[in-house]
Amino acid sequence: MTLSRRTFLQGAAALPVLGAMPRLATANMALGSATLTTVSDGSLMLPGSFIFDPMPKDELAPILAQYGQDSERLTPECNLALYRDGTNTVLFDVGSGPDFMPTAGTIVDSLDAIGLAPEDITHVLFTHAHPDHIWGLLDDFDEPLFYEASYMMGRAEWDYWWNPETVNTIGDARAAFAVGAKRRMEAIEEAVMLFDDDDEVLPGIAALSTPGHTPGHMAFEVRQGTEAALIVGDAIGNHHVAFAKPGWESGSDQDGITAAATRQMLLDRLSQEQMALVGFHLPDGGMGRAEKEGSAYRFVSA
């Protein structure tokens, strides 16, 4: 099956609206005197082919069975990381907003549940510009929702989506992604701050280039003294196949070969250093650790 925009949208629309009322529970960890929390933006409804199409079906089936994962339907959580150090209140990505999927776009309610309003966010750092990460940028009046925040994005990611040729080269399935990203980026064009790999973008937060899912995808290492966590965005996109077979190409990645190499690098590092990780689409709030099991890995929730 070749994924087109039509098959993607038809597949998602055919799925039952399961869990339309989002789980607002959060996951938390302390990093020195700072705190790292995840806040829910709801969940997605995706056809299994969106990820599984390029994978060998005979080897895939037992892995999905092991994890109780349906091959036809994916309903991943959307977990936005929130970092508070007493000075800055930093949100990583902004979620889907109201225009992507009916089960997503709940970030304002989730923030309210922990006593925060959009104006309390001092900085927004983007991992990348796919719809479930940037379409929540604008409010009902097409103004930035987090209006007191400074916006920051990796230079390579900004340049990719800003390029007028991207909509023509990204493929039919993702053409709307490009249009939607550009419209939202135009709203912050005059104010956005760009950064590069290995830059310390804020005190205690360093950028790490993790390309493949998108050309300029960024992860972030958050560190206070000897305590650290890695916010991986969609560079590790699920808790099953991504850990069991990190070298397999995934249909969700724009460059499957590069994404697989990035995923392997991240899992090697995370398991060796036993560093906490936060994944946008990982379960139970997205926080946990990667444990090595032979040539594979396993996600252990926090």
Side-chain angles (χ1 to χ4, degrees), residues 150-167:
S150 298
Y151 291 90
M152 309 176 77
M153 185 182 289
R155 191 181 313 275
E157 187 74 356
W158 179 275
D159 289 348
Y160 173 75
W161 295 101
W162 195 256
N163 186 337
E165 285 303 307
T166 293
V167 70

Side-chain angles (χ1 to χ4, degrees), residues 166-237:
T166 293
V167 70
N168 300 319
T169 58
I170 197 172
D172 289 345
R174 291 184 168 95
F177 293 10
V179 173
K182 183 71 175 292
R183 184 167 81 85
R184 287 153 179 86
M185 290 163 64
E186 287 171 347
I188 58 172
E189 177 186 5
E190 300 301 323
V192 70
M193 291 175 279
L194 304 180
F195 56 85
D196 297 298
D197 181 32
D198 207 34
D199 283 354
E200 185 177 37
V201 295
L202 287 169
I205 302 177
L208 175 65
S209 177
T210 48
H213 184 69
T214 62
H217 189 287
M218 284 282 183
F220 299 93
E221 181 180 312
V222 181
R223 181 174 293 275
Q224 288 274 333
T226 60
E227 299 181 22
L230 195 64
I231 297 166
V232 301
D234 283 3
I236 304 174

